[in-house]
Amino acid sequence: MRYRAAGAVAAGLILTLTGCSDDSAAPTSTTSTARALDLVAFRANAPGESDHCAVAYDIGAAARAAHLTGVAAAAGPTTATGDQATAPDDKASAALADPAHSTLSPLEMSDGVYADCSYRVGQTTVVVRTYAVRRGSAINLAAPQIQREDEMTVTALSRYLERVGKSSLGTALVAVEHVAAARVPVRPEGNGAITVTASGAPVTAEQLTRLTESLAAQVS
């Protein structure tokens, strides 16, 4: 699974960013049941590998909203990978307070769930990663992937994550060129985020923004 490989390499970076993030402007729960990621259902669907994404994204509708040309479809027989991890509240709280000395993984600290889904739109490969956490900040779990795919410095990455953390739900922000992220609501508690990576055929920043916002609006 791609998550396990990436997570092992970059756990230290996530721990650092988790410890210094400011989530004061980011709502941590939603009372609405419309267009909010169901944490219980997501947790049940995400683990393991499957031919179906743990979140039912309509890539065709999102591609049309972004004015991307070409046939939209899932990419390959295995289109979703996912993982989840939990830890007792007391251990997780202690880890969040002092992440540099914690033995818990970032996913365990956040009581989080993650899924990775790949699609093709014409000659463009689109990878949608969905994160939901009960504690802390969902977007921070995406830090290594964003840094790697858009070749960001730690300083630039930290500033970008702060901007995303303070953005309105569903508003997409492009990191540098290939990755955009948006916060999404989670029910019954917690917060979520998606990242969208586009590679292959050129995609403009406006198209990537529209694609990400369309997908963010689909979570349920």
Side-chain angles (χ1 to χ4, degrees):
M1 286 196 303
R2 276 179 282 182
Y3 169 77
R4 292 190 184 279
V9 172
L13 176 60
I14 299 180
L15 289 171
T16 300
L17 291 169
T18 301
C20 67
S21 65
D22 176 9
D23 301 316
S24 59
T28 57
S29 64
T30 177
T31 56
S32 173
T33 58
R35 296 303 181 191
L37 187 61
D38 186 329
L39 186 57
V40 175
F42 187 30
R43 192 180 295 281
N45 293 334
E49 299 188 2
S50 170
D51 289 342
H52 304 284
C53 186
V55 181
Y57 291 115
D58 185 339
I59 190 64
R64 289 191 294 273
H67 302 296
L68 295 179
T69 59
V71 176
T78 301
T79 61
T81 62
D83 208 347
Q84 62 175 323
T86 62
D89 285 350
D90 57 344
K91 290 186 178 181
S93 296
L96 286 170
D98 187 14
H101 297 92
S102 172
T103 59
L104 298 181
S105 72
L107 208 61
E108 287 174 319
M109 286 196 301
S110 62
D111 194 1
V113 190
Y114 160 87
D116 177 335
C117 305
S118 299
Y119 305 92
R120 295 281 295 180
V121 181
Q123 298 302 308
T124 302
T125 298
V126 176
V127 179
V128 185
R129 297 177 174 93
T130 309
Y131 305 82
V133 301
R134 194 167 64 86
R135 313 180 188 94
S137 171
I139 189 59
N140 282 352
L141 290 178
Q145 168 252 322
I146 295 171
Q147 183 185 44
R148 181 179 63 253
E149 294 182 351
D150 254 347
E151 299 181 350
M152 303 177 77
T153 66
V154 172
T155 299
L157 176 65
S158 181
R159 290 173 179 168
Y160 174 70
L161 295 177
E162 183 177 5
R163 288 174 56 218
V164 174
K166 293 181 177 180
S167 65
S168 300
L169 291 169
T171 298
L173 297 175
V174 176
V176 177
E177 181 180 7
H178 301 292
V179 185
R183 295 194 310 115
V184 296
V186 170
R187 68 178 192 270
E189 63 176 340
N191 70 89
I194 69 167
T195 66
V196 178
T197 303
S199 60
V203 174
T204 67
E206 181 179 1
Q207 287 176 314
L208 184 55
T209 298
R210 290 185 177 183
L211 181 68
T212 304
E213 291 183 349
S214 177
L215 291 167
Q218 294 179 17
V219 298
S220 61

